[in-house]
Amino acid sequence: MGKPETVRLVSKEGFEFVIDYKAACVSNTIKNMLSSQGNFTETELGEIKFPEISTPILEKVCQYFYYKLRYTHCPDVIPEFKIEPDIALQLLMASNFLDT
Amino acid sequence: MSMYVRVKRQKQIFFLHVEPSETVLEIKQKVQALTEKPADDQRLFLDGLNLDDAKTLAEVKVENDAVLALAYKIDEEAGTWEEIDIHTIDTVDEAKA
């Protein structure tokens, strides 16, 4: 079912986030996973499991991918990317892992 | 200006690039490309409101980062549809915001 132009990211609770390949490549870790040589299941199915990232964190990460894509090279005023304080630490750990 | 919406159903969340000038039907066709579920068998909701196929996103006030709930048709003859089923964590987040 995986279309080449999209990537599925699966959270700890099994939620699937279907995002554009281009958006996923905001994360260097994901980009490397998807473009690495060899027959990894990740590369073939376009599905990556993150058993350590919970659903709200992964959703925030995906929102950030799109935010980043939209406002990179954007001449307009860039709005703030809102992060709720209670998820900040987990989000920091996820973004560190994803190299984002 | 390009924007995106989050289309949610059960344990799936689709992030879709959209334009305010696109119609609701065009969004359903994008979902169809990913799920192979015909656009006619889909319903999209914004805050519990069923969106009209012919309307554009600007008309129904769908903004960047909006969450749309997706429901499928269950039975063609009976004309029954799924209940809106999107994960609750997001609802919690919105309540806090």
Side-chain angles (χ1 to χ4, degrees), chain A residues 48-68:
Chain A
I48 308 176
K49 290 199 171 73
F50 294 105
E52 275 148 30
I53 304 181
S54 68
T55 308
I57 305 298
L58 196 56
E59 177 155 22
K60 205 73 187 171
V61 168
C62 294
Q63 285 175 272
Y64 176 74
F65 290 164
Y66 278 78
Y67 168 88
K68 166 94 177 171

Side-chain angles (χ1 to χ4, degrees), chain A residues 64-95:
Chain A
Y64 176 74
F65 290 164
Y66 278 78
Y67 168 88
K68 166 94 177 171
L69 273 190
R70 176 173 171 180
Y71 294 110
T72 307
H73 314 300
C74 176
D76 300 341
V77 180
I78 299 174
E80 186 192 2
F81 185 75
K82 287 208 179 70
I83 293 172
E84 292 79 12
D86 48 345
I87 64 163
L89 182 61
Q90 279 181 286
L91 194 63
L92 186 67
M93 292 192 291
S95 60

Side-chain angles (χ1 to χ4, degrees), chain A residues 37-53:
Chain A
Q37 297 291 316
N39 298 326
F40 291 105
T41 33
E42 281 88 352
T43 330
E44 284 187 358
L45 297 172
E47 178 182 294
I48 308 176
K49 290 199 171 73
F50 294 105
E52 275 148 30
I53 304 181

